[in-house]
Amino acid sequence: MIVNSYRGWYEAVAHAVMPPVMSQINDPKVAFAYLRPVCVLLTKEPTVTNVETLSEQLKDVHEGSLQQLQEYVLFPLRFVLKVTGGKKEKLVQAVAEAVSYVLERTCVQSWDTLHDLFSELCSCLCSPTDPGKPADTSEELRSAMLRCLNALLHAAYGDIVFKLYEPRMLPELGAAISLLLILGEKDKSRDIQAAALKCLQSLILHCDCTQEHVVPSSDERCSVGGTMASFLPGITKALARIITGDLRQGHAVTVRAIKVWSRSVGLVMEDSQLQSRQSCKTPSSDLGRIRQLVVQRTPDWVKGTVEKLCVLLKRIISCTSAHQHWRVRLEMVELADHLLATCGQSLKECVGPLLEALVGAINDDEPRVRERCEVALRDVSQRNQSGTASKNLTDVLSENLHSLATSLPRLMRTSDDQKKLFVLNVFLGYLKVLGPLVSVVLNSAAHLDRISKALMQVLELDVMDVRIVEERSYTDPIDGYSSSHDSYTAHTQRKHFLYFTDEKIFSVLMEICRTLGYYGNIYLLTDHLLDLYRQSSAYRKPAAMVLNEMVRGAAGIAVAAPANRLDGSEFQGRSASTEDLKATVVSILEEYTSLNNWHLKTVSEETDTDRQDQKLLSPFRLQSISSGDIISSTANSLQVIPSSSTSPATPSSISTLLQLNSNIWQLCIQLEGVACFAQALRRDFRPLLMTSLYPVLEKAGEDTLLVSQAALSAMMDISKACGYSSLKDLINDNSDYLLNDISVNLQRLSQHPQAPRVLTVMLAHSDCSLLPLIRDIVQDVLMALDLSYDHSAALFCSVLHALMKALARWFPPSCCRTSKSLSFRTSAKQEDFDICQFLLDYHKQKELAEGTGIEEDETEDLEVPPPPECEDADDAGGRDVKAELPSHLSITKDIMERCIHLLSDPSLRLRLKVLDVLEQCVYVLSEREDELLPMAHRCWPALLQRLTDDPLAVLRAFRVLCTLGETCGDFLRRRVSKEVLPKLSSSLARQAPVSAKAGPVYTHTLAYKLQLAVLQGLGSLCQRLNLSEADLDAVCEACLPYLSCRQPIRLQEACLSVFRHLIQVDPDTFWFTLNEIHCPSSYTPPHPDLQPLQLSGMGRPRDEYSDNVLKLLREEFGSDSLTHNKPVI
Amino acid sequence: MSRPAPCPIYTLRGAGAPLNTLHFRCPGGDTPLLFSGSAKGAIHMWNLNSRRAEMVVEGHCGNSVIWVSTLQSRDSLMSQGRDMQVCLWDLKEGRSEAVDSVWTGSVGFCQCSLLETSPSNYLLAFAGSQTEEIKIIEMPSKSPVSTLIPDTKLGMVMCIKLWKSDSGLGPLLFAGYEDGSLLLWDVTQRSELSHVKAHPEPIMCLTFDPRHLRGVSGSCEKKLSSWMLDNQNNIQLQDCVMLVNPGVSQLRIRDDSRLLASAGWDHRVRVFGWKKLQPLAVLQYHTDMVLSLAFSDHQDPRQRLLAAGSKDQRISLWSIYNERADTG
């Protein structure tokens, strides 16, 4: 405490130079005179007031003077303590506070004072009746006493404080220590617990407060250590109880207890002390009975103690390493560091657990813990480098790793998530600490086997989820993909594992794999894991997962920057070079995409096609069609087939279901793997796209939702990793590779049925720059189709459909006709509101018809020229037949040619598909009428047949007709009115009375479906073809019966839609027609000169038609007041 | 055949025109290359590792390229086009410049033949401007060596093959003519050594194996004609091989003298054992006439590929009968 005494002097000087604002008494003599009366008074009358007066006055005295008057001031206070014997609590507390004040500002130079005060304070703390127990005093008093005791220990002068640890002091010291321990353990107040432990910490000379402390020499330390050895068992046990005790006691107490534990063990078991002879010197013989208390730190004693300590240590570690409060975990790191630093030799048995504690904290969530831990581990490795123990440490670490790997599966099965996480963190920590030595450790077959098996078992997937198999992506690839990429990335199925659910655990496991890859020998690991992969189907998925992450790790992706390494080589990074990595990736990819591992069954085949057929024919499907645009309505919905439609679950079906699930997951993992490899190699992966992109695209076209999604996200990862700006770029840049495989595989369709699918996916994702290459491949497709009409026509039709859709997207035809009809319609609408203009026009027309307004013909002439021009263009096209068609058009023609043949295929599914393709063909070809019309002519007979086919086909045939009508209206109008409409209207008219009378069962008959289909399609057909009035009348005639409310409701609805379309074409006529049937209001002319209006529907009673007619009039012609102004001719 | 017919390991597309000629160049250690000459005058240099065209040289003003070859000694490429020019290209360091050209004057389809006599000099044989004329010049000096004109009317020169025998004679030349005659010329002596009528129709192609002194020629009929040279340098006709469909555009013997491949007009490549000419395989991929064939000269026998160029604008690469490689 030399320093302490100096401090007083220094401050005295400081004050002399710079007098404080409220000047303190600096002259000892003045101070004495100032304090004397109070001290005397206090001695005479020991009251609280007097003590407080003294305390007040003490504050006016400068520390330097106080030091000189220390004995004098303390005397009355101690006297009071003695006199009261701790009876009057208030008084004692005031005294204790005053003493603390004095001690905190002075230092104790005489042993007697120290000794006396120590024992007096201790006796005040303990209960007067039972000295072993703390007194039952107030909390404030105990707190004050502890503060006082702490101040005393701090104030003790350097020479004398060590007398406290002489053997003859053992009884007193022991009493104090046990008292403090009891307070620390049992007291109800946390503050007192902490204060007591703090005191104890001061007592073992390891206080960590900001004040300056005695620095014991090695001899002194040795003697203190020897003395404390007697109390070590008691201290460590009690503290361990505190540490492992109630979690609610708050982290401050636990932290303090851990600190005291580690310091006391460190003090007693210090290597340097135990190695020197002094520790074993025999105590002097003049101690009497006290001699029994003295402990000799002999090797035997050390051995026994270490064993016990080890047990305690393990308990402490297990209790605190996963503690919720980071300060506790930090303190554990401190403990491990301190003990490893000071007594690594003597506590040999504890090195394992201590390292484990350190290693477990290396992945701590709290950065401060992590940093401290890294520093500690670096120190450990440095210490081991300098000494001979390096070998040992590596051994310890690898042994720990081995045993951990052995117990890992068991732990993962039995413990809770918190514990699992910790265990895995420790595992990871070992790998990180071992660093490059991991590859050495893995060279041992036992280690490699243990670790990989452990990972295999831990990562076992739960494949029970039935939905996986059931989920289907009926999404049309083109519409689906181009519309929403986000939804795909967002919807990634989580993997379900058998042994854990926490996502954190999974991420730690993945980091373990990456770290293995980073440090381990990549060839060795790959070979071993691929062996496991091949060995059993149970290991296949985990092995693939590990391989994927390992490769990523080997590339240094998402591996924490290595801070500690045992061999100290700072700059040696990952073990694998890019070349190694490439070779590894190639071999893994080969395995993944080999026939057995890639072409796995994900769909139970027997149900697949049937189910699709059923789906197509189900009423639900019909409804969705009727609701309008089929493509848009089903494109974005991922349809889940209700499980009720599957066969009841028999045991065998469950097992196959599991098998399918497992296959799906395996594919997903392997697809993820391809993405991982791309990330690992980045641009170097580009050459590998030659072989790997095709399989991925193959899966992207798969029906199973999960697989196709995984493939899609893999594609996106690949394109990002390889430096392509988008999926489109990825596919366009590698289209030659893809098309090559497609072309070769198309020729061997029986072995490679996936080829058309790949083409579909490609088309969905690329743009027209692909066309030159596509043109090449389309020839292959068509040839393959020609060679296998009966087997795979359906498959090809979907390709052709995709192709045509892509073409339609890439080359939208300049659609002049639709806009024309639109403008016609709008102009018709405008006329509604302008009677004047109408009458003027009418007048003009009439004049023209009578031949009067010939001079105005010039304006007409201007409008005449276009037709001849058109003819010219046609002629030119006719003359110049050799001019090469743009390739997309020639492709379209080729495809259309095939469609004509396939239109009459016996399979309904195929026919429907072909109709879809045909529609697209017509749309694309509409650009060139001279090409379209001959083709339309050729497919007309087959198309006509479809109009009397299954209702579904009828509907689609209608759509084709409509598209055709839009583009080659004139050409088609006559045919429709001659060949189609009479048939349809007659059949409608014939069926109308039947359906009107039929019961509810009728809706299940084919006749009904046909009626419905025709009615649903007829309206738009009429509108698109711009039919003549006579035809429209015929249609109207045929449909009118269906406005009856006696008809089935859906037929009524369909009929309403027909009328809506008809009204669009010619509003006036149909307004009149409807009003003829039923007229809700009478029309009074606006001027008396005009004749009153007579409509046959007027004043008619409500009948079966009135509801629907009214509905139409209301919806289509607005309110009745508007119809009021309607011009009628 | 017991095993199913093999697939091409890869197809090169994008040439955009029928492929008249193919030539491999696989320098040791470097990327193996394949040169192709198309009917639209483009010479493609295909990188066989990336399987993409690394360079496209437009050299004959859009006229069909009928022959390409490289010189062993240098990084130079020779090409012959229907514009009656033979061009020499410098390909060093990615350049593609025509450094020299020779006017042939031939309007026919006869491909040139090249014989490297020393590291710096080589002989080039080509059909001349007259109907039956064959010219041989020494390059790079372009000094004429000889002009060979047969005594009788044989029609146009269809194909030539320049080679040097071990017997010490000067360079010899096989020439196939329009009337089906096959002649052996001594270049230095300008003398006809032998004359046989191998085919009734024009000889479309011939190839010769100097090691076994055997050759084979094809025509537009259903027959391959094989022949050999005896000690007096007389051509002796041997067995014929009958084909299923008529027409052969090119014949090639692999460097190890074990395989003969024929490019058929029936879209198929046929592979024969060279020793006994027994048919081994029919390679079917192309959708139009196969026009050209080439065997790779790669150092690793397992990477020695067969390339076939077709009128359908594609090149197919096949890995067949490579040392114990199980691709066949």
Side-chain angles (χ1 to χ4, degrees):
Chain A
M1 285 280 154
I2 299 164
V3 181
N4 214 355
S5 62
Y6 278 145
R7 190 186 59 191
W9 175 80
Y10 169 79
E11 281 182 9
V13 172
H15 282 294
V17 177
M18 252 186 344
V21 183
M22 204 197 87
S23 63
Q24 286 184 317
I25 302 164
N26 209 357
D27 187 352
K29 282 178 187 160
V30 181
F32 178 72
Y34 177 64
L35 291 175
R36 211 180 85 109
V38 197
C39 288
V40 172
L41 186 64
L42 182 61
T43 325
K44 284 180 188 153
E45 294 174 35
T47 61
V48 178
T49 340
N50 288 341
V51 177
E52 275 167 1
T53 322
L54 178 60
S55 315
E56 282 304 312
Q57 290 195 355
L58 281 174
K59 282 174 190 160
D60 299 332
V61 180
H62 191 266
E63 286 179 16
S65 314
L66 197 58
Q67 176 67 52
Q68 292 195 1
L69 298 173
Q70 185 202 42
E71 295 273 346
Y72 182 79
V73 175
L74 284 180
F75 176 77
L77 293 168
R78 284 168 59 189
F79 179 75
V80 175
L81 277 186
K82 249 182 209 148
V83 168
T84 55
K87 288 277 163 49
K88 298 172 186 164
E89 286 195 11
K90 284 274 183 232
L91 182 61
V92 175
Q93 189 186 336
V95 169
E97 273 159 12
V99 172
S100 309
Y101 181 83
V102 174
L103 288 176
E104 275 160 15
R105 275 157 192 78
T106 59
C107 47
V108 179
Q109 283 156 328
S110 103
W111 160 244
D112 287 334
T113 317
L114 174 67
H115 184 206
D116 291 350
L117 259 175
F118 185 74
S119 41
E120 279 158 21
L121 290 173
C122 286
S123 67
C124 280
L125 263 176
C126 66
S127 117
T129 47
D130 182 359
K133 280 191 181 145
D136 189 19
T137 51
S138 76
E139 212 175 292
E140 290 80 16
L141 177 59
R142 270 177 291 168
S143 173
M145 291 317 268
L146 287 171
R147 178 177 155 218
C148 196
L149 191 59
N150 196 26
L152 175 68
L153 290 170
H154 276 88
Y157 207 67
D159 327 345
I160 56 159
V161 75
F162 292 108
K163 284 198 179 175
L164 209 53
Y165 301 99
E166 277 173 4
R168 64 195 165 82
M169 283 296 293
L170 277 175
E172 268 179 85
L173 206 55
I177 288 172
S178 72
L179 202 59
L180 289 172
L181 283 172
I182 290 171
L183 278 173
E185 190 182 351
K186 299 272 167 63
D187 202 283
K188 286 188 186 75
S189 157
R190 278 185 199 175
D191 295 336
I192 293 183
Q193 280 183 308
L197 293 173
K198 174 91 175 38
C199 250
L200 193 57
Q201 199 181 342
S202 306
L203 200 57
I204 56 170
L205 294 179
H206 274 93
C207 186
D208 56 352
C209 66
T210 52
Q211 292 178 38
E212 310 215 28
H213 300 95
V214 190
V215 182
S217 70
S218 65
D219 281 355
E220 285 159 348
R221 231 179 21 244
C222 189
S223 76
V224 174
T227 310
M228 295 313 275
S230 311
F231 312 120
L232 190 67
I235 293 177
T236 50
K237 266 186 226 161
L239 287 175
R241 273 201 302 279
I242 298 175
I243 297 167
T244 60
D246 193 353
L247 283 176
R248 283 169 303 170
Q249 70 192 353
H251 70 271
V253 179
T254 315
V255 168
R256 189 62 72 184
I258 295 171
K259 193 167 273 171
V260 178
W261 201 92
S262 79
R263 300 298 142 156
S264 51
V265 171
L267 177 69
V268 178
M269 308 302 286
E270 197 177 18
D271 288 342
S272 55
Q273 291 182 40
L274 294 181
Q275 276 155 12
S276 68
R277 292 284 166 85
Q278 279 180 318
S279 57
C280 309
K281 75 175 180 201
T282 47
S284 50
S285 52
D286 59 344
L287 293 171
R289 287 180 57 211
I290 293 174
R291 209 175 149 179
Q292 294 168 356
L293 292 173
V294 177
V295 163
Q296 291 294 316
R297 285 186 280 173
T298 59
D300 284 345
W301 177 87
V302 169
K303 211 177 148 203
T305 313
V306 168
E307 269 172 30
K308 285 167 202 150
L309 283 177
C310 208
V311 174
L312 289 176
L313 186 67
K314 275 179 187 158
R315 210 156 72 206
I316 291 173
I317 288 175
S318 75
C319 206
T320 53
S321 46
H323 198 280
Q324 277 159 359
H325 202 284
W326 64 272
R327 279 185 194 282
V328 174
R329 301 196 300 267
L330 180 65
E331 198 51 49
M332 272 317 289
V333 175
E334 296 273 4
L335 174 137
D337 184 34
H338 180 75
L339 291 187
L340 284 171
T342 51
C343 25
Q345 296 293 312
S346 48
L347 290 179
K348 248 190 195 107
E349 273 103 296
C350 301
V351 169
L354 285 173
L355 274 178
E356 189 180 310
L358 266 187
V359 162
I362 204 165
N363 298 308
D364 203 281
D365 294 336
E366 175 62 41
R368 279 168 283 198
V369 177
R370 237 167 22 228
E371 277 162 31
R372 180 69 191 87
C373 182
E374 276 164 14
V375 173
L377 280 170
R378 202 174 309 142
D379 291 349
V380 169
S381 65
Q382 268 164 14
R383 269 199 298 281
N384 281 291
Q385 261 166 45
S386 54
T388 52
S390 177
K391 186 93 184 118
N392 283 340
L393 186 72
T394 316
D395 287 350
V396 171
L397 286 171
S398 66
E399 242 166 61
N400 279 7
L401 189 63
H402 186 262
S403 64
L404 190 59
T406 314
S407 56
L408 196 60
R410 179 177 53 79
L411 288 170
M412 291 306 281
R413 269 196 298 275
T414 51
S415 41
D416 60 351
D417 275 7
Q418 190 76 24
K419 174 83 179 163
K420 285 174 195 169
L421 196 58
F422 175 70
V423 170
L424 290 171
N425 266 327
V426 172
F427 196 101
L428 178 56
Y430 279 128
L431 294 179
K432 282 189 176 168
V433 173
L434 279 168
L437 292 177
V438 166
S439 67
V440 180
V441 172
L442 291 181
N443 277 342
S444 132
H447 275 85
L448 182 60
D449 197 51
R450 267 287 143 228
I451 291 173
S452 50
K453 283 271 169 59
L455 286 173
M456 294 302 104
Q457 285 168 22
V458 169
L459 281 170
E460 197 167 324
L461 274 172
D462 182 7
V463 292
M464 285 300 285
D465 197 348
V466 178
R467 284 170 304 168
I468 292 168
V469 176
E470 297 289 340
E471 271 180 316
R472 284 277 172 286
S473 56
Y474 284 117
T475 320
D476 188 314
I478 288 186
D479 293 342
Y481 294 160
S482 50
S483 62
S484 55
H485 283 292
D486 302 337
S487 66
Y488 274 88
T489 42
H491 189 283
T492 324
Q493 182 87 20
R494 266 191 59 209
K495 299 189 185 70
H496 296 285
F497 294 92
L498 272 184
Y499 297 125
F500 58 91
T501 50
D502 195 345
E503 198 65 18
K504 267 196 215 155
I505 294 181
F506 180 62
S507 67
V508 173
L509 275 168
M510 289 300 103
E511 201 181 343
I512 289 176
C513 299
R514 285 198 294 271
T515 315
L516 275 176
Y518 188 84
Y519 292 118
N521 178 342
I522 189 85
Y523 287 119
L524 181 72
L525 282 166
T526 312
D527 283 351
H528 187 78
L529 285 164
L530 278 179
D531 269 348
L532 286 174
Y533 179 92
R534 293 186 199 109
Q535 216 173 66
S536 107
S537 61
Y539 287 155
R540 201 157 289 160
K541 288 179 292 295
M545 265 188 269
V546 174
L547 275 169
N548 296 348
E549 282 306 312
M550 211 188 65
V551 169
R552 258 157 61 90
I557 295 171
V559 179
N564 330 287
R565 235 169 281 118
L566 288 188
D567 64 354
S569 58
E570 280 295 326
F571 298 105
Q572 189 195 331
R574 58 203 173 93
S575 58
S577 72
T578 314
E579 280 310 306
D580 295 342
L581 209 56
K582 218 170 183 175
T584 315
V585 165
V586 168
S587 69
I588 303 175
L589 269 179
E590 242 166 46
E591 186 71 36
Y592 278 3
T593 53
S594 71
L595 216 60
N596 293 335
N597 297 323
W598 197 255
H599 293 284
L600 298 170
K601 230 174 80 173
T602 57
V603 175
S604 45
E605 271 154 19
E606 73 274 32
T607 60
D608 187 39
T609 47
D610 300 347
R611 198 187 276 164
Q612 281 190 5
D613 270 337
Q614 273 179 358
K615 243 179 77 66
L616 283 169
L617 299 171
S618 68
F620 164 75
R621 182 74 178 187
L622 205 58
Q623 207 166 21
S624 79
I625 290 167
S626 65
S627 72
D629 192 359
I630 297 180
I631 303 160
S632 66
S633 69
T634 54
N636 300 325
S637 59
L638 307 169
Q639 296 185 0
V640 182
I641 296 170
S643 37
S644 61
S645 73
T646 60
S647 55
T650 57
S652 71
S653 81
I654 284 179
S655 73
T656 56
L657 199 66
L658 288 186
Q659 189 55 49
L660 292 177
N661 260 341
S662 146
N663 286 347
I664 288 170
W665 274 121
Q666 196 190 326
L667 283 175
C668 288
I669 292 167
Q670 287 172 183
L671 283 164
E672 280 167 18
V674 180
C676 287
F677 303 153
Q679 284 166 358
L681 290 176
R682 308 196 63 75
R683 270 171 186 273
D684 287 335
F685 193 74
R686 282 188 174 194
L688 298 183
L689 286 175
M690 216 184 298
T691 48
S692 56
L693 193 57
Y694 180 86
V696 174
L697 254 66
E698 206 171 74
K699 293 300 158 197
E702 183 120 346
D703 283 340
T704 310
L705 178 66
L706 207 57
V707 175
S708 64
Q709 273 180 353
L712 202 64
S713 68
M715 276 159 69
M716 293 205 232
D717 287 347
I718 292 170
S719 78
K720 210 185 284 168
C722 292
Y724 294 107
S725 59
S726 66
L727 265 190
K728 198 179 79 184
D729 282 2
L730 171 74
I731 292 191
N732 281 355
D733 263 31
N734 296 288
S735 51
D736 50 345
Y737 298 147
L738 291 170
L739 287 175
N740 168 63
D741 285 335
I742 294 173
S743 139
V744 171
N745 289 344
L746 274 176
Q747 296 200 347
R748 285 154 184 81
L749 210 62
S750 54
Q751 294 146 52
H752 305 277
Q754 320 281 346
R757 257 186 213 157
V758 180
L759 187 58
T760 313
V761 176
M762 265 188 83
L763 288 170
H765 288 288
S766 53
D767 62 9
C768 54
S769 63
L770 208 61
L771 191 71
L773 285 169
I774 290 285
R775 190 184 180 178
D776 199 32
I777 209 82
V778 167
Q779 297 310 320
D780 289 350
V781 172
L782 293 179
M783 200 172 68
L785 173 65
D786 291 346
L787 289 175
S788 58
Y789 265 113
D790 33 349
H791 300 302
S792 40
L795 199 56
F796 279 111
C797 269
S798 49
V799 180
L800 294 182
H801 192 211
L803 175 65
M804 286 319 301
K805 274 188 150 176
L807 285 180
R809 195 156 44 97
W810 298 341
F811 304 98
S814 41
C815 225
C816 46
R817 278 177 187 272
T818 39
S819 57
K820 212 193 277 174
S821 61
L822 259 177
S823 66
F824 163 76
R825 240 177 278 150
T826 46
S827 68
K829 280 260 174 192
Q830 274 165 1
E831 273 179 319
D832 295 351
F833 304 104
D834 197 347
I835 299 183
C836 261
Q837 187 58 45
F838 174 79
L839 286 173
L840 281 176
D841 287 350
Y842 178 70
H843 176 70
K844 203 160 130 198
Q845 295 277 331
K846 208 169 174 184
E847 271 184 349
L848 275 176
E850 288 161 1
T852 45
I854 300 170
E855 70 279 3
E856 283 174 89
D857 271 7
E858 275 171 354
T859 50
E860 300 283 307
D861 278 346
L862 283 178
E863 288 164 29
V864 177
E869 257 180 11
C870 260
E871 277 167 30
D872 275 356
D874 283 355
D875 283 354
R879 265 184 246 124
D880 194 7
V881 181
K882 295 260 170 168
E884 211 170 310
L885 269 182
S887 52
H888 67 278
L889 293 183
S890 67
I891 290 174
T892 311
K893 265 183 76 180
D894 284 346
I895 293 175
M896 208 159 164
E897 193 82 32
R898 266 51 172 210
C899 288
I900 295 169
H901 298 302
L902 287 170
L903 263 179
S904 42
D905 194 273
S907 153
L908 172 63
R909 261 180 78 206
L910 190 61
R911 289 202 303 270
L912 294 178
K913 269 260 162 67
V914 172
L915 283 169
D916 284 342
V917 179
L918 194 62
E919 190 190 349
Q920 296 290 335
C921 286
V922 170
Y923 178 67
V924 173
L925 259 191
S926 63
E927 198 174 300
R928 291 284 281 267
E929 207 170 37
D930 54 332
E931 299 293 339
L932 177 61
L933 296 187
M935 290 312 289
H937 171 72
R938 292 196 48 203
C939 69
W940 181 255
L943 189 61
L944 205 60
Q945 287 303 308
R946 299 286 74 73
L947 287 171
T948 50
D949 200 351
D950 187 278
L952 279 169
V954 171
L955 253 181
R956 294 203 188 190
F958 262 132
R959 285 224 327 260
V960 178
L961 253 185
C962 292
T963 323
L964 264 175
E966 248 175 47
T967 48
C968 44
D970 301 331
F971 178 74
L972 217 61
R973 194 179 303 138
R974 209 170 323 118
R975 290 176 190 241
V976 171
S977 69
K978 222 174 15 186
E979 298 174 49
V980 182
L981 282 182
K983 255 194 228 173
L984 293 181
S985 30
S986 71
S987 82
L988 277 180
R990 199 172 50 245
Q991 279 304 117
V994 179
S995 58
K997 280 178 215 148
V1001 195
Y1002 183 69
T1003 55
H1004 295 284
T1005 62
L1006 198 65
Y1008 167 80
K1009 283 175 185 166
L1010 206 58
Q1011 272 174 309
L1012 187 63
V1014 170
L1015 282 174
Q1016 279 169 346
L1018 197 54
S1020 58
L1021 181 68
C1022 290
Q1023 192 185 353
R1024 296 263 165 83
L1025 282 183
N1026 202 6
L1027 289 172
S1028 65
E1029 273 179 39
D1031 290 326
L1032 290 183
D1033 279 347
V1035 170
C1036 177
E1037 198 72 29
C1039 291
L1040 271 179
Y1042 292 92
L1043 283 178
S1044 159
C1045 59
R1046 298 202 185 116
Q1047 295 284 351
I1049 185 76
R1050 292 193 54 204
L1051 289 185
Q1052 288 181 47
E1053 280 167 11
C1055 182
L1056 283 176
S1057 84
V1058 174
F1059 273 95
R1060 279 185 200 119
H1061 284 290
L1062 292 177
I1063 287 166
Q1064 295 268 312
V1065 177
D1066 192 349
D1068 304 338
T1069 315
F1070 289 97
W1071 178 85
F1072 184 69
T1073 314
L1074 290 173
N1075 273 312
E1076 287 283 288
I1077 300 168
H1078 182 88
C1079 184
S1081 54
S1082 59
Y1083 296 94
T1084 46
H1087 196 273
D1089 287 356
L1090 294 172
Q1091 289 178 4
L1093 195 63
Q1094 273 305 319
L1095 293 170
S1096 58
M1098 272 178 177
R1100 219 186 251 184
R1102 274 178 68 88
D1103 60 5
E1104 49 186 311
Y1105 301 107
S1106 25
D1107 279 354
N1108 284 321
V1109 170
L1110 279 176
K1111 196 172 174 190
L1112 277 173
L1113 285 174
R1114 195 168 54 246
E1115 280 175 8
E1116 297 299 317
F1117 300 103
S1119 62
D1120 290 2
S1121 61
L1122 249 178
T1123 61
H1124 197 248
N1125 289 334
K1126 198 124 198 75
V1128 181
I1129 306 153
Chain B
M1 269 191 292
S2 54
R3 279 187 294 183
C7 302
I9 57 161
Y10 199 75
T11 59
L12 302 171
R13 58 189 73 213
L19 294 148
N20 291 328
T21 174
L22 292 171
H23 178 80
F24 274 102
R25 179 173 169 82
C26 309
D30 278 354
T31 320
L33 300 173
L34 174 69
F35 294 93
S36 73
S38 81
K40 283 189 179 165
I43 301 162
H44 286 74
M45 184 170 96
W46 303 92
N47 178 337
L48 290 180
N49 280 351
S50 73
R51 296 169 178 177
R52 282 176 175 166
E54 209 158 72
M55 192 196 290
V56 183
V57 182
E58 299 277 350
H60 293 272
C61 316
N63 287 299
S64 179
V65 176
I66 56 173
W67 175 76
V68 287
S69 182
T70 53
L71 291 174
Q72 285 288 318
S73 44
R74 278 166 283 172
D75 273 342
S76 33
L77 169 76
M78 300 196 75
S79 70
Q80 180 193 13
R82 298 285 319 279
D83 60 349
M84 298 190 244
Q85 298 280 347
V86 175
C87 295
L88 183 67
W89 305 86
D90 182 13
L91 297 179
K92 265 180 223 132
E93 294 150 9
R95 275 176 289 181
S96 56
E97 307 157 1
V99 288
D100 205 353
S101 68
V102 177
W103 187 80
T104 63
S106 157
V107 292
F109 292 85
C110 177
Q111 298 183 328
C112 294
S113 184
L114 190 71
L115 180 68
E116 299 198 35
T117 47
S118 71
S120 59
N121 296 320
Y122 51 95
L123 294 176
L124 182 71
F126 52 85
S129 50
Q130 292 169 46
T131 314
E132 281 128 351
E133 184 187 40
I134 299 167
K135 281 183 173 168
I136 295 114
I137 57 169
E138 182 167 327
M139 295 287 278
S141 61
K142 296 200 222 172
S143 53
V145 175
S146 60
T147 303
L148 310 174
I149 302 175
D151 307 329
T152 48
K153 285 279 169 202
L154 301 174
M156 277 170 72
V157 186
M158 300 301 290
C159 45
I160 48 178
K161 169 83 184 174
L162 197 59
W163 62 286
K164 196 167 162 50
S165 75
D166 299 332
S167 58
L169 274 167
L172 302 176
L173 180 112
F174 283 106
Y177 292 88
E178 200 179 349
D179 71 341
S181 302
L182 180 67
L183 267 70
L184 178 65
W185 291 90
D186 185 327
V187 171
T188 40
Q189 306 295 319
R190 292 166 207 177
S191 60
E192 259 180 64
L193 293 178
S194 176
H195 180 170
V196 291
K197 183 134 170 92
H199 297 272
E201 301 286 331
I203 297 181
M204 299 308 294
C205 51
L206 63 84
T207 186
F208 181 72
D209 175 12
R211 218 185 306 176
H212 300 101
L213 295 178
R214 283 175 65 213
V216 63
S217 57
S219 175
C220 48
E221 49 186 3
K222 283 196 191 177
K223 182 181 91 163
L224 293 180
S225 193
S226 85
W227 29 266
M228 71 175 294
L229 281 188
D230 63 13
N231 295 335
Q232 282 78 45
N233 281 332
N234 286 321
I235 302 174
Q236 307 277 336
L237 286 180
Q238 289 188 309
D239 310 335
C240 294
V241 184
M242 295 310 289
L243 302 173
V244 182
N245 299 305
V248 181
S249 14
Q250 195 150 43
L251 288 165
R252 284 275 189 257
I253 299 167
R254 198 159 76 179
D255 281 354
D256 61 2
S257 301
R258 293 178 65 183
L259 285 185
L260 169 73
S262 74
W265 295 0
D266 58 352
H267 315 175
R268 293 178 175 87
V269 174
R270 287 168 206 278
V271 181
F272 303 89
W274 175 230
K275 212 178 227 171
K276 295 176 181 165
L277 287 176
Q278 79 275 29
L280 296 177
V282 179
L283 308 180
Q284 192 170 358
Y285 169 77
H286 289 288
T287 52
D288 210 332
M289 279 168 70
V290 184
L291 297 177
S292 51
L293 282 176
F295 276 110
S296 159
D297 55 346
H298 202 281
Q299 284 176 324
D300 182 0
R302 270 166 303 177
Q303 295 194 41
R304 279 190 194 148
L305 305 175
L306 169 66
S310 161
K311 207 175 168 185
D312 66 5
Q313 313 185 353
R314 298 178 199 174
I315 302 169
S316 54
L317 295 172
W318 307 78
S319 173
I320 48 162
Y321 298 105
N322 295 335
E323 235 171 13
R324 274 181 286 280
D326 222 326
T327 45

